[in-house]
Amino acid sequence: MPDDSPSAADGGRPLRVAVVGAGPAGIYTAEALTRRAPVPVTVDLIDRLPTPFGLVRHGIAPDHLKMRAIRETLHRALDDPGVRFVGNVEVGTDITLEDLRAHVDAVVYTYGAALDRPLSIDGEDLTGSLAATDLVAWYCGHPDADRARVEAALAGVRRAVVVGVGNVALDVARVLARTPEELEPTDMPQHVLDGLAAKRVEEVTVLGRRGPAQASFTTKELDELAELADATVLVDPADLPGEDEPPPADRLVARNVDVLREYATHTAEPGRTRVRLRFYRRPVRLLGADRVTGLEVERTTVDAEGRAVGTGEYEVLPTDLVVRSVGYRGQGLPGLPVDQRSGTVPNEDGRVLRDGAPSAGEYVAGWIKRGPTGVVGTNKHDARETVAALLADAEAGVIAPHGDRDDLVQTLRARGAEPVLLEDWRAIDAAEVALGATRGRARTTMHERESLLAAVRAAAGR
Ligand code: NAP
């Protein structure tokens, strides 16, 4: 990376920033730093995976082809000469946070919120009980997916319950209800396509603990369920506000209720998968001896504060699979604190707080800053806020440019790490396209870290 242009930061070289996490938040941060700063900035965009794009690659549902195409736009920031992608490097393992901080003038943490939230009810450990994060990691080909656990859970599934009524719950329900023909144009790994083609899901229930007015899915995603080729969406009219009640004041809620009313007119059709959206039921426990056979739920009402209140009426939903889709949470890095309750790094406008005070040269953006909310584009504004704080600190002299340090990549290599740079990622990209072509697909995601690295080594002649 060029390191000789003049800088207002220390009069001799660009401001050096490491961004930890090459998902949308990290990429938008790198873009804002290189394009908006009044001083030259160079960015090392570090990721523990050999691939960039974070949740755009391993989170956005593979059947959302248009949404996933945002990686083409994100790639422009990776191509900027001021940005260096440094994949396959885990902060805390390949390099300590302390060491990294000594190499650069500032660090921005953008590594997201990868952990699932448990329901903390009995039976959650049974085979057939999964976190949405497990299933999503598997169907997106994340190298750390627990393939054995997910495939054991999916074996022989006829009925599934997805707990939670957010957009991730709808992603999971959709993918479970899709036909093999609908999934073929995706970039899912081949074993995932084959696994999903082998299942015979007859019914997927999406379960809200409160009412339709409190659901967090968005209308576009709700509407999209109607397009499923071989599934009928069903809603119990009893779960909807009465026709004589005033329409919901919130426009988004009103639009959702309109779509749900339309679904409530549907009837089950023989031979088609049923996607049931049910409300006012909260999970109590998963039933089964060694694998899930049912989910016990309690009926609820919603009180004046919008909280779910149990009615003391219970029912059992027979099911072979329970996927909890109740949100994500972030974790700390070794040496970086996280608030256990919110699952975010304590911060003020993106400045990391240690013991309640801003820590010079440390910033956060994305889900690890604000929690798991918003769409991909939300991270652009979020990253800009953080970068504004960083640049203000540079201007004010709060960030002290360190003396000359060895190049980060050379240091990592000297320590036995195998950083994956942009040209290496291009080799992976080409290998995935070539793998897809062997089956007439546009791309097939390679899901094993070793295969990804093998593609890099083959291209480099190593
Ligand atoms: P989310 O929108 O926060 O939804 C979580 C759901 O889990 C809520 O319905 C919540 O209900 C429920 N829940 C939480 N704890 C529960 C419990 N103990 N028992 C039963 N239900 C429980 O989270 P998400 O679906 O994981 O999505 C994360 C973010 O990614 C969101 O901003 C989402 O819009 C975004 N996303 C967007 C897309 C897209 O644009 N297509 C796709 C996927 C994700 P309560 O409200 O009652 O707590």
Side-chain angles (χ1 to χ4, degrees):
M1 196 162 40
D3 209 8
D4 52 2
S5 40
S7 160
D10 76 343
R13 61 164 177 78
L15 193 66
R16 284 192 202 141
V17 182
V19 175
V20 182
I27 293 178
Y28 286 132
T29 299
E31 185 180 67
L33 279 166
T34 49
R35 301 225 181 126
R36 301 192 147 233
V39 295
V41 179
T42 59
V43 177
D44 276 328
L45 181 58
I46 302 170
D47 204 287
R48 70 188 187 87
L49 293 182
T51 52
F53 305 128
L55 281 187
V56 168
R57 181 178 163 98
H58 292 124
I60 294 183
D63 63 333
H64 274 165
L65 301 180
K66 278 201 193 127
M67 261 188 235
R68 287 174 75 86
I70 197 170
R71 61 198 255 173
E72 314 305 332
T73 313
L74 295 176
H75 218 294
R76 289 210 288 271
L78 295 184
D79 292 332
D80 189 300
V83 176
R84 179 169 62 173
F85 174 63
V86 186
N88 200 33
V89 168
E90 185 154 30
V91 175
T93 307
D94 295 310
I95 185 164
T96 64
L97 199 51
E98 199 182 350
D99 242 0
L100 178 64
R101 290 188 64 193
H103 262 86
V104 293
D105 305 320
V107 182
V108 188
Y109 309 106
T110 58
Y111 59 86
L115 300 181
D116 68 283
R117 286 192 180 275
L119 292 170
S120 305
I121 57 176
D122 284 350
E124 240 177 326
D125 295 331
L126 288 169
T127 300
S129 162
L130 292 177
T133 47
D134 295 330
L135 190 57
V136 171
W138 176 77
Y139 67 55
C140 288
H142 193 294
D144 297 342
D146 188 342
R147 209 179 141 178
R149 180 175 167 76
V150 173
E151 289 173 13
L154 289 179
V157 164
R158 289 185 178 273
R159 280 170 298 197
V161 174
V162 185
V163 177
V165 281
N167 281 331
V168 172
L170 296 192
D171 283 349
V172 165
R174 230 181 33 252
V175 168
L176 289 175
R178 289 250 190 231
T179 62
E181 294 71 31
E182 287 179 288
L183 295 175
E184 189 66 24
T186 69
D187 61 3
M188 284 175 168
Q190 196 60 45
H191 71 275
V192 171
L193 272 191
D194 296 342
L196 290 174
K199 68 173 176 29
R200 290 281 169 267
V201 175
E202 292 157 9
E203 181 165 287
V204 183
T205 300
V206 181
L207 198 70
R209 63 175 166 181
R210 300 188 289 159
Q214 291 81 30
S216 52
F217 46 59
T218 40
T219 312
K220 187 165 156 284
E221 279 60 34
L222 182 62
D223 232 353
E224 191 191 358
L225 294 177
E227 292 161 20
L228 289 168
D230 196 27
T232 304
V233 191
L234 303 168
V235 172
D236 183 348
D239 281 350
L240 298 178
E243 296 278 6
D244 47 351
E245 287 180 40
D250 184 314
R251 256 183 340 117
L252 299 179
V253 172
R255 287 215 297 261
N256 281 351
V257 170
D258 282 348
V259 178
L260 292 168
R261 276 199 210 292
E262 155 64 18
Y263 289 157
T265 65
H266 295 179
T267 47
E269 293 166 69
R272 281 172 71 86
T273 304
R274 300 176 296 277
V275 175
R276 285 189 193 281
L277 304 176
R278 303 190 77 181
F279 298 90
Y280 300 110
R281 284 161 179 86
R282 70 177 175 200
V284 175
R285 64 189 166 119
L286 283 78
L287 308 172
D290 46 349
R291 69 162 297 147
V292 171
T293 56
L295 176 68
E296 185 176 349
V297 298
E298 183 183 14
R299 299 289 300 266
T300 61
T301 56
V302 173
D303 71 10
E305 272 77 50
R307 286 180 304 229
V309 181
T311 61
E313 294 165 73
Y314 295 85
E315 67 184 291
V316 171
L317 310 180
T319 186
D320 321 298
L321 175 69
V322 173
V323 183
R324 58 180 185 278
S325 179
V326 296
Y328 291 72
R329 74 195 151 93
Q331 58 186 332
L333 288 175
L336 181 70
V338 71
D339 178 277
Q340 290 303 332
R341 199 184 44 81
S342 65
T344 57
V345 170
N347 74 92
E348 205 170 68
D349 304 332
R351 291 182 176 93
V352 170
L353 301 177
R354 287 187 186 263
D355 301 321
S359 165
E362 285 191 296
Y363 304 85
V364 272
W367 277 10
I368 195 63
K369 170 187 177 187
R370 67 173 194 276
T373 60
V375 294
V376 171
T378 313
N379 294 298
K380 197 167 206 171
H381 171 79
D382 185 320
R384 284 182 185 174
E385 180 191 64
T386 294
V387 167
L390 188 157
L391 294 175
D393 288 353
E395 179 69 26
V398 175
I399 300 175
H402 303 160
D404 266 348
R405 295 291 311 225
D406 293 340
D407 179 70
L408 177 67
V409 167
Q410 279 164 15
T411 303
L412 286 162
R413 284 191 179 133
R415 292 179 185 182
E418 193 177 352
V420 165
L421 306 186
L422 187 62
E423 58 271 27
D424 303 325
W425 152 244
R426 288 194 202 288
I428 293 174
D429 196 31
E432 290 193 334
V433 171
L435 182 62
T438 61
R439 297 258 194 157
R441 305 174 71 200
R443 168 191 298 273
T444 297
T445 299
M446 298 198 304
H447 64 285
E448 287 165 322
R449 192 180 280 265
E450 271 315 306
S451 319
L452 295 164
L453 295 178
V456 171
R457 291 176 198 136
R462 294 201 292 271

